[in-house]
Amino acid sequence: MPIRTGDVKFSIIVTVHQESAFIYPLIDSIQKQTYRNFDVIVVADNMPDKVQINDPQVSIHYPEKNLHSKIQSIAYAMQLITDPLDVVLILDADNLLHPDYLRVINNYFQK
C-alpha cells in the first residue's frame, strides 16, 4: 500500500549564515528540478548583503534578530510555512541537488 496517493508537496528550507556565495548554485540546482511541486524558504541570517533571486517559488527571509544557529533558522522557517505540505526538506547553502532528486523522493512516497 502506498504511503500516500497523489504527488507530494515539498517545502525546501535553506539556511544560510553570513555568506551568500553558496546560495546561488543551490537555488540554481533547485530551479532545475524535473518535479515542480515545491516552494523554497531561504533564511538569510546575519547577511551583510541581500540575496537576489527572482523566482516566485523562492522566498527569502531576513530575521530581525541574528539567529546564529541552524536549529533556530529552521524553527524560524517552519513558522513561515502556511500552505499544506507533505515533506520538509532541509538543506545547507552549500548543498546541490540532482535535477531528478525531488521526482525520485516523490516516487518513493507513492510505493
Side-chain angles (χ1 to χ4, degrees), residues 3-109:
I3 295 173
R4 67 178 316 279
T5 57
D7 287 336
V8 171
K9 167 70 176 189
F10 291 93
S11 187
I12 302 170
I13 295 173
V14 179
T15 60
V16 59
H17 180 74
Q18 292 182 327
E19 178 62 52
S20 64
F22 295 112
I23 192 75
Y24 297 105
L26 170 59
I27 296 300
D28 184 59
S29 75
I30 293 170
Q31 290 170 324
K32 291 178 179 171
Q33 291 299 296
T34 58
Y35 183 87
R36 303 299 303 166
N37 194 9
F38 66 86
D39 58 30
V40 181
I41 299 171
V42 177
V43 178
D45 182 30
N46 196 25
M47 298 295 291
D49 53 338
K50 296 291 183 189
V51 176
Q52 301 295 321
I53 298 170
N54 187 20
D55 183 329
Q57 286 182 282
V58 179
S59 61
I60 303 167
H61 302 272
Y62 300 91
E64 289 181 23
K65 176 184 145 209
N66 293 335
L67 302 175
H68 298 293
S69 163
K70 180 174 180 145
I71 296 298
Q72 288 183 356
S73 292
I74 293 167
Y76 179 89
M78 293 295 292
Q79 294 175 16
L80 299 171
I81 298 172
T82 57
D83 294 335
L85 58 95
D86 301 303
V87 176
V88 175
L89 178 64
I90 299 170
L91 301 173
D92 287 325
D94 61 351
N95 294 146
L96 295 174
L97 300 182
H98 184 279
D100 291 329
Y101 184 82
L102 295 179
R103 183 187 57 76
V104 170
I105 293 175
N106 179 60
N107 289 345
Y108 276 104
F109 276 94

